[in-house]
Amino acid sequence: MYDGWQQASVCRGLARFRRLKYSATDGEAAIPGAAMRPLTMLLAGLLAVALSVALIAGSLTAVAPAGASALVPITITGTGFDATASRNEVAFVSSDGTSKTASAESVGTLNTATGRRTLTVRVPAGLPIGRASLTVRNTISNETSAGMGLDILAITLPDLSAAAQGASGVQVRITGSSNVRFVVGGTVVSLPGAVGVSVASTTVESATSLVAVINVTASAALGAKNVQVKTSSQTALLPAGFQIVAPTPVNRNPSASAGGPYAGISGTPISFSGSGSDPDAGDVLSYAWDFGDGTNQAGLSSGSVSHSYVVAGAYPATLTVTDGHGGTATSLVTVTVNPAPPVNQPPVVNAGSAQTITLPGAAALTGTATDDGLPTGSTLTTTWTKVSGPGTATFADPASRTTSATFDQPGIYVLRLSATDSLLSTTADVTVTVNPAPPVNQPPVVS
């Protein structure tokens, strides 16, 4: 291996022999030009070789692992490296021309006599998947070492990329780039530095696909974790590729109370006052009533509602409370619906049929009046009165529905029968035609 001092010595020797061609100094004898020419050419060739060796001073003999993804440390073995790690710059050049550099992080000496050393450097981000050539440049002597390459890999988690604290048996599929080679029985999946996270098993499905079963303790630290897959010849890292999240709280069911018991009258609204509660803070409750008569109300914000039943009877009403997270509770109550009380109706009155009488005869009145008996305790009373007519109508018993009436003048009379139950009244009219009395036979008048 040549260094700067050796290059300078070769140059000084060439200059000295060039001077000997033309003169002799310090006791030196001049060399004839013909003899000097071959020597000069020899020295020039040696200088060219020295300069060439100085620019490509070493070689790379090994890279481990042979394939790696971004940020994975690799170890390069070769010669020409500086003994100080930071003075060695590693260039990664992909087949498409993409070039990235990184400084070595550590250096180790394997053989002092031959200058054989190892460098540890991390694969820089930004390189495309595929083959990249490696070159190490000694930044002090500007020497370069080449001759090896590295497969740039990548892995992804296409399906599941998170697990909750306390989860076990979580199946995580890992797929690799086309140049990844997972090996059955020789592939190790890990989450470096993730305390409380372990890989229980690894099943290689193909050269580029595997399933790892992951267990997470309840105390595992939350946040993003790196995922690493290693074989004997490849190491792939997915930075922050897996998340440890807080477990979803177990939802607890709400409680429901239908209230009651309830009673009412058919046709009249009955007020329901149900309620609900939830042990989980923040749950918004929704209420629904099934009234037991084929009708219901849902989507209520409270358990208070009113409902009318058409038919009297006993009905099972159910209140259902939901919490929006799948939790439900129900409460049953019996509703007693009584018949509606009868409504007071007006009396039914009939004054009879129209009739014709001749004075001094009387009209026989045969009116009728009936009632429903309401209001309770009331008495139905009736009264006959004259509505119209030329003379006076006299009733034998005005309060009796069946009575008689006499008249003092002929003509057409309208008589009215009125009935009342103390609250409601009804009337009915009848027409009586009163003819004059026939003339009385008088004796003849003689004069």
Side-chain angles (χ1 to χ4, degrees), residues 148-196:
M148 294 299 296
L150 176 73
D151 289 326
I152 305 300
L153 318 173
I155 57 173
T156 60
L157 276 58
D159 300 330
L160 185 66
S161 61
Q165 291 171 316
S168 61
V170 180
Q171 295 189 356
V172 180
R173 183 178 303 281
I174 302 174
T175 58
S177 52
S178 59
N179 55 352
V180 165
R181 294 295 179 265
F182 297 147
V183 179
V184 176
T187 302
V188 177
V189 178
S190 63
L191 282 76
V195 179

Short mmCIF file of all heavy atoms in Angstrom, two decimals, residues 148-196:
data_model
loop_
_atom_site.label_atom_id
_atom_site.label_comp_id
_atom_site.label_asym_id
_atom_site.label_seq_id
_atom_site.Cartn_x
_atom_site.Cartn_y
_atom_site.Cartn_z
N MET A 148 -17.46 -4.91 -3.75
CA MET A 148 -18.58 -5.65 -3.16
C MET A 148 -19.87 -4.87 -3.40
O MET A 148 -19.87 -3.68 -3.70
CB MET A 148 -18.37 -5.85 -1.66
CG MET A 148 -17.20 -6.75 -1.30
SD MET A 148 -17.35 -8.44 -1.95
CE MET A 148 -18.78 -9.02 -1.07
N GLY A 149 -21.00 -5.58 -3.24
CA GLY A 149 -22.31 -4.96 -3.38
C GLY A 149 -23.23 -5.42 -2.28
O GLY A 149 -22.91 -6.30 -1.47
N LEU A 150 -24.42 -4.79 -2.21
CA LEU A 150 -25.39 -5.09 -1.16
C LEU A 150 -26.79 -5.10 -1.79
O LEU A 150 -27.13 -4.24 -2.60
CB LEU A 150 -25.34 -4.02 -0.07
CG LEU A 150 -26.36 -4.13 1.06
CD1 LEU A 150 -26.01 -5.30 1.99
CD2 LEU A 150 -26.43 -2.83 1.86
N ASP A 151 -27.61 -6.09 -1.40
CA ASP A 151 -29.01 -6.11 -1.83
C ASP A 151 -29.82 -5.19 -0.90
O ASP A 151 -29.86 -5.41 0.32
CB ASP A 151 -29.58 -7.53 -1.76
CG ASP A 151 -29.00 -8.42 -2.84
OD1 ASP A 151 -28.74 -7.91 -3.94
OD2 ASP A 151 -28.81 -9.63 -2.58
N ILE A 152 -30.48 -4.19 -1.47
CA ILE A 152 -31.32 -3.27 -0.69
C ILE A 152 -32.71 -3.87 -0.61
O ILE A 152 -33.36 -4.12 -1.64
CB ILE A 152 -31.36 -1.87 -1.33
CG1 ILE A 152 -29.93 -1.33 -1.51
CG2 ILE A 152 -32.19 -0.93 -0.47
CD1 ILE A 152 -29.15 -1.21 -0.21
N LEU A 153 -33.19 -4.10 0.62
CA LEU A 153 -34.45 -4.79 0.87
C LEU A 153 -35.49 -3.84 1.46
O LEU A 153 -35.17 -2.72 1.86
CB LEU A 153 -34.23 -5.96 1.84
CG LEU A 153 -33.00 -6.84 1.66
CD1 LEU A 153 -32.89 -7.82 2.82
CD2 LEU A 153 -33.08 -7.58 0.34
N ALA A 154 -36.70 -4.36 1.57
CA ALA A 154 -37.76 -3.63 2.28
C ALA A 154 -38.81 -4.63 2.74
O ALA A 154 -39.04 -5.65 2.09
CB ALA A 154 -38.40 -2.57 1.39
N ILE A 155 -39.43 -4.34 3.88
CA ILE A 155 -40.55 -5.16 4.37
C ILE A 155 -41.72 -4.25 4.69
O ILE A 155 -41.55 -3.06 4.98
CB ILE A 155 -40.16 -5.99 5.62
CG1 ILE A 155 -39.65 -5.07 6.75
CG2 ILE A 155 -39.16 -7.07 5.28
CD1 ILE A 155 -39.42 -5.81 8.06
N THR A 156 -42.92 -4.82 4.65
CA THR A 156 -44.14 -4.09 4.99
C THR A 156 -45.05 -4.98 5.82
O THR A 156 -44.90 -6.21 5.83
CB THR A 156 -44.89 -3.63 3.73
OG1 THR A 156 -45.24 -4.78 2.95
CG2 THR A 156 -44.05 -2.67 2.90
N LEU A 157 -46.02 -4.35 6.49
CA LEU A 157 -47.06 -5.05 7.23
C LEU A 157 -48.38 -4.73 6.54
O LEU A 157 -49.02 -3.72 6.84
CB LEU A 157 -47.09 -4.61 8.69
CG LEU A 157 -46.12 -5.28 9.67
CD1 LEU A 157 -44.69 -5.11 9.24
CD2 LEU A 157 -46.33 -4.75 11.08
N PRO A 158 -48.81 -5.55 5.58
CA PRO A 158 -49.96 -5.16 4.75
C PRO A 158 -51.30 -5.27 5.45
O PRO A 158 -52.26 -4.64 5.01
CB PRO A 158 -49.88 -6.16 3.59
CG PRO A 158 -49.22 -7.37 4.19
CD PRO A 158 -48.23 -6.83 5.18
N ASP A 159 -51.39 -6.05 6.50
CA ASP A 159 -52.70 -6.27 7.12
C ASP A 159 -52.79 -5.57 8.47
O ASP A 159 -53.27 -4.45 8.56
CB ASP A 159 -52.96 -7.78 7.29
CG ASP A 159 -52.95 -8.50 5.95
OD1 ASP A 159 -53.30 -7.87 4.94
OD2 ASP A 159 -52.57 -9.68 5.92
N LEU A 160 -52.29 -6.22 9.49
CA LEU A 160 -52.39 -5.69 10.85
C LEU A 160 -51.07 -5.06 11.25
O LEU A 160 -50.02 -5.64 11.06
CB LEU A 160 -52.75 -6.82 11.83
CG LEU A 160 -53.01 -6.42 13.27
CD1 LEU A 160 -54.25 -5.56 13.37
CD2 LEU A 160 -53.17 -7.67 14.13
N SER A 161 -51.15 -3.83 11.79
CA SER A 161 -49.92 -3.14 12.19
C SER A 161 -50.03 -2.54 13.58
O SER A 161 -49.32 -1.60 13.90
CB SER A 161 -49.57 -2.05 11.17
OG SER A 161 -50.61 -1.09 11.11
N ALA A 162 -50.93 -3.08 14.41
CA ALA A 162 -51.09 -2.56 15.77
C ALA A 162 -51.68 -3.65 16.65
O ALA A 162 -52.36 -4.56 16.17
CB ALA A 162 -51.99 -1.32 15.78
N ALA A 163 -51.39 -3.54 17.95
CA ALA A 163 -51.95 -4.45 18.94
C ALA A 163 -52.12 -3.69 20.24
O ALA A 163 -51.38 -2.74 20.52
CB ALA A 163 -51.06 -5.67 19.14
N ALA A 164 -53.10 -4.09 21.01
CA ALA A 164 -53.38 -3.41 22.26
C ALA A 164 -52.59 -4.04 23.40
O ALA A 164 -52.19 -5.21 23.35
CB ALA A 164 -54.88 -3.49 22.57
N GLN A 165 -52.36 -3.24 24.42
CA GLN A 165 -51.72 -3.77 25.63
C GLN A 165 -52.55 -4.95 26.15
O GLN A 165 -53.77 -4.89 26.20
CB GLN A 165 -51.65 -2.68 26.70
CG GLN A 165 -50.69 -1.56 26.38
CD GLN A 165 -50.81 -0.42 27.37
OE1 GLN A 165 -51.92 -0.02 27.72
NE2 GLN A 165 -49.69 0.11 27.82
N GLY A 166 -51.85 -6.02 26.52
CA GLY A 166 -52.53 -7.20 27.04
C GLY A 166 -53.00 -8.17 25.99
O GLY A 166 -53.52 -9.23 26.31
N ALA A 167 -52.80 -7.84 24.70
CA ALA A 167 -53.24 -8.74 23.63
C ALA A 167 -52.28 -9.91 23.50
O ALA A 167 -51.08 -9.77 23.69
CB ALA A 167 -53.35 -7.98 22.31
N SER A 168 -52.81 -11.04 23.13
CA SER A 168 -51.97 -12.22 22.91
C SER A 168 -52.43 -12.94 21.66
O SER A 168 -53.59 -12.85 21.26
CB SER A 168 -52.04 -13.17 24.11
OG SER A 168 -53.36 -13.63 24.31
N GLY A 169 -51.48 -13.65 21.04
CA GLY A 169 -51.81 -14.39 19.83
C GLY A 169 -52.16 -13.51 18.65
O GLY A 169 -52.94 -13.92 17.79
N VAL A 170 -51.57 -12.32 18.57
CA VAL A 170 -51.87 -11.40 17.48
C VAL A 170 -51.08 -11.83 16.24
O VAL A 170 -49.85 -11.89 16.26
CB VAL A 170 -51.51 -9.95 17.86
CG1 VAL A 170 -51.81 -9.00 16.71
CG2 VAL A 170 -52.25 -9.53 19.12
N GLN A 171 -51.78 -12.14 15.18
CA GLN A 171 -51.13 -12.60 13.95
C GLN A 171 -50.81 -11.41 13.05
O GLN A 171 -51.71 -10.68 12.64
CB GLN A 171 -52.02 -13.61 13.21
CG GLN A 171 -52.23 -14.90 13.99
CD GLN A 171 -52.91 -15.97 13.16
OE1 GLN A 171 -53.30 -15.75 12.03
NE2 GLN A 171 -53.05 -17.15 13.74
N VAL A 172 -49.54 -11.24 12.77
CA VAL A 172 -49.06 -10.11 11.96
C VAL A 172 -48.37 -10.65 10.71
O VAL A 172 -47.39 -11.38 10.81
CB VAL A 172 -48.08 -9.22 12.77
CG1 VAL A 172 -47.59 -8.06 11.92
CG2 VAL A 172 -48.76 -8.70 14.03
N ARG A 173 -48.92 -10.30 9.58
CA ARG A 173 -48.31 -10.73 8.31
C ARG A 173 -47.23 -9.73 7.90
O ARG A 173 -47.44 -8.52 7.94
CB ARG A 173 -49.36 -10.84 7.22
CG ARG A 173 -48.80 -11.36 5.88
CD ARG A 173 -49.91 -11.48 4.85
NE ARG A 173 -50.98 -12.33 5.34
CZ ARG A 173 -50.94 -13.66 5.35
NH1 ARG A 173 -49.87 -14.29 4.88
NH2 ARG A 173 -51.95 -14.37 5.81
N ILE A 174 -46.07 -10.26 7.50
CA ILE A 174 -44.95 -9.45 7.03
C ILE A 174 -44.61 -9.90 5.62
O ILE A 174 -44.40 -11.09 5.38
CB ILE A 174 -43.72 -9.59 7.95
CG1 ILE A 174 -44.08 -9.19 9.40
CG2 ILE A 174 -42.56 -8.75 7.44
CD1 ILE A 174 -42.97 -9.43 10.39
N THR A 175 -44.57 -8.95 4.71
CA THR A 175 -44.18 -9.26 3.33
C THR A 175 -42.91 -8.51 2.99
O THR A 175 -42.68 -7.40 3.47
CB THR A 175 -45.29 -8.90 2.33
OG1 THR A 175 -45.59 -7.50 2.45
CG2 THR A 175 -46.55 -9.69 2.61
N GLY A 176 -42.10 -9.12 2.16
CA GLY A 176 -40.84 -8.51 1.77
C GLY A 176 -40.82 -8.16 0.30
O GLY A 176 -41.65 -8.60 -0.49
N SER A 177 -39.83 -7.33 -0.07
CA SER A 177 -39.63 -6.99 -1.47
C SER A 177 -39.22 -8.24 -2.24
O SER A 177 -38.92 -9.29 -1.65
CB SER A 177 -38.56 -5.89 -1.59
OG SER A 177 -37.39 -6.25 -0.88
N SER A 178 -39.20 -8.12 -3.56
CA SER A 178 -38.98 -9.31 -4.39
C SER A 178 -37.62 -9.96 -4.15
O SER A 178 -37.44 -11.15 -4.45
CB SER A 178 -39.12 -8.93 -5.86
OG SER A 178 -38.17 -7.92 -6.20
N ASN A 179 -36.65 -9.23 -3.62
CA ASN A 179 -35.33 -9.81 -3.38
C ASN A 179 -35.15 -10.31 -1.95
O ASN A 179 -34.06 -10.70 -1.56
CB ASN A 179 -34.23 -8.81 -3.73
CG ASN A 179 -34.40 -7.48 -3.00
OD1 ASN A 179 -35.41 -7.26 -2.33
ND2 ASN A 179 -33.41 -6.60 -3.14
N VAL A 180 -36.21 -10.29 -1.18
CA VAL A 180 -36.16 -10.84 0.17
C VAL A 180 -36.27 -12.36 0.09
O VAL A 180 -37.00 -12.90 -0.75
CB VAL A 180 -37.29 -10.26 1.04
CG1 VAL A 180 -37.48 -11.08 2.32
CG2 VAL A 180 -37.00 -8.81 1.39
N ARG A 181 -35.57 -13.04 0.96
CA ARG A 181 -35.61 -14.50 1.00
C ARG A 181 -35.80 -14.97 2.44
O ARG A 181 -34.85 -15.17 3.18
CB ARG A 181 -34.32 -15.10 0.41
CG ARG A 181 -34.12 -14.83 -1.07
CD ARG A 181 -35.20 -15.53 -1.90
NE ARG A 181 -35.03 -15.26 -3.32
CZ ARG A 181 -35.66 -14.28 -3.96
NH1 ARG A 181 -36.49 -13.48 -3.29
NH2 ARG A 181 -35.48 -14.10 -5.25
N PHE A 182 -37.09 -15.12 2.84
CA PHE A 182 -37.38 -15.71 4.14
C PHE A 182 -37.08 -17.20 4.07
O PHE A 182 -37.34 -17.86 3.06
CB PHE A 182 -38.84 -15.49 4.53
CG PHE A 182 -39.22 -14.04 4.68
CD1 PHE A 182 -40.50 -13.61 4.36
CD2 PHE A 182 -38.33 -13.11 5.18
CE1 PHE A 182 -40.86 -12.29 4.51
CE2 PHE A 182 -38.68 -11.78 5.34
CZ PHE A 182 -39.96 -11.37 5.00
N VAL A 183 -36.57 -17.74 5.16
CA VAL A 183 -36.13 -19.13 5.19
C VAL A 183 -36.90 -19.88 6.27
O VAL A 183 -36.96 -19.45 7.43
CB VAL A 183 -34.61 -19.23 5.46
CG1 VAL A 183 -34.17 -20.68 5.51
CG2 VAL A 183 -33.83 -18.45 4.41
N VAL A 184 -37.51 -20.99 5.89
CA VAL A 184 -38.23 -21.81 6.87
C VAL A 184 -37.24 -22.32 7.91
O VAL A 184 -36.21 -22.91 7.58
CB VAL A 184 -38.93 -23.00 6.17
CG1 VAL A 184 -39.58 -23.92 7.21
CG2 VAL A 184 -39.96 -22.50 5.17
N GLY A 185 -37.55 -22.06 9.17
CA GLY A 185 -36.69 -22.50 10.26
C GLY A 185 -35.46 -21.64 10.48
O GLY A 185 -34.70 -21.90 11.41
N GLY A 186 -35.27 -20.65 9.64
CA GLY A 186 -34.09 -19.81 9.79
C GLY A 186 -34.39 -18.32 9.71
O GLY A 186 -33.51 -17.53 9.34
N THR A 187 -35.62 -17.94 10.04
CA THR A 187 -36.01 -16.52 10.00
C THR A 187 -36.48 -16.11 11.38
O THR A 187 -37.33 -16.77 11.99
CB THR A 187 -37.14 -16.30 8.98
OG1 THR A 187 -36.69 -16.74 7.70
CG2 THR A 187 -37.51 -14.83 8.90
N VAL A 188 -35.92 -15.01 11.88
CA VAL A 188 -36.23 -14.53 13.22
C VAL A 188 -36.89 -13.16 13.10
O VAL A 188 -36.34 -12.24 12.49
CB VAL A 188 -34.97 -14.41 14.09
CG1 VAL A 188 -35.31 -13.84 15.47
CG2 VAL A 188 -34.31 -15.78 14.23
N VAL A 189 -38.08 -13.04 13.69
CA VAL A 189 -38.81 -11.77 13.73
C VAL A 189 -38.70 -11.21 15.14
O VAL A 189 -38.86 -11.94 16.12
CB VAL A 189 -40.29 -11.95 13.35
CG1 VAL A 189 -41.03 -10.62 13.46
CG2 VAL A 189 -40.40 -12.51 11.95
N SER A 190 -38.41 -9.93 15.25
CA SER A 190 -38.30 -9.30 16.57
C SER A 190 -38.74 -7.86 16.48
O SER A 190 -38.86 -7.28 15.39
CB SER A 190 -36.86 -9.37 17.09
OG SER A 190 -35.98 -8.64 16.24
N LEU A 191 -39.02 -7.29 17.64
CA LEU A 191 -39.32 -5.87 17.77
C LEU A 191 -38.25 -5.30 18.70
O LEU A 191 -38.45 -5.25 19.93
CB LEU A 191 -40.72 -5.63 18.33
CG LEU A 191 -41.89 -5.80 17.34
CD1 LEU A 191 -42.16 -7.27 17.09
CD2 LEU A 191 -43.14 -5.11 17.84
N PRO A 192 -37.12 -4.90 18.15
CA PRO A 192 -35.99 -4.49 18.99
C PRO A 192 -36.35 -3.35 19.95
O PRO A 192 -36.95 -2.35 19.54
CB PRO A 192 -34.95 -4.03 17.96
CG PRO A 192 -35.35 -4.70 16.68
CD PRO A 192 -36.82 -4.78 16.72
N GLY A 193 -36.01 -3.54 21.19
CA GLY A 193 -36.22 -2.50 22.19
C GLY A 193 -37.64 -2.38 22.69
O GLY A 193 -37.92 -1.53 23.54
N ALA A 194 -38.55 -3.19 22.20
CA ALA A 194 -39.95 -3.11 22.63
C ALA A 194 -40.14 -3.99 23.86
O ALA A 194 -40.40 -5.19 23.75
CB ALA A 194 -40.87 -3.55 21.50
N VAL A 195 -40.01 -3.40 25.02
CA VAL A 195 -40.15 -4.13 26.28
C VAL A 195 -41.61 -4.55 26.45
O VAL A 195 -42.52 -3.74 26.30
CB VAL A 195 -39.69 -3.28 27.47
CG1 VAL A 195 -39.88 -4.04 28.78
CG2 VAL A 195 -38.24 -2.87 27.28
N GLY A 196 -41.82 -5.81 26.77
CA GLY A 196 -43.17 -6.31 26.97
C GLY A 196 -43.81 -6.83 25.70
O GLY A 196 -44.98 -7.22 25.72
#
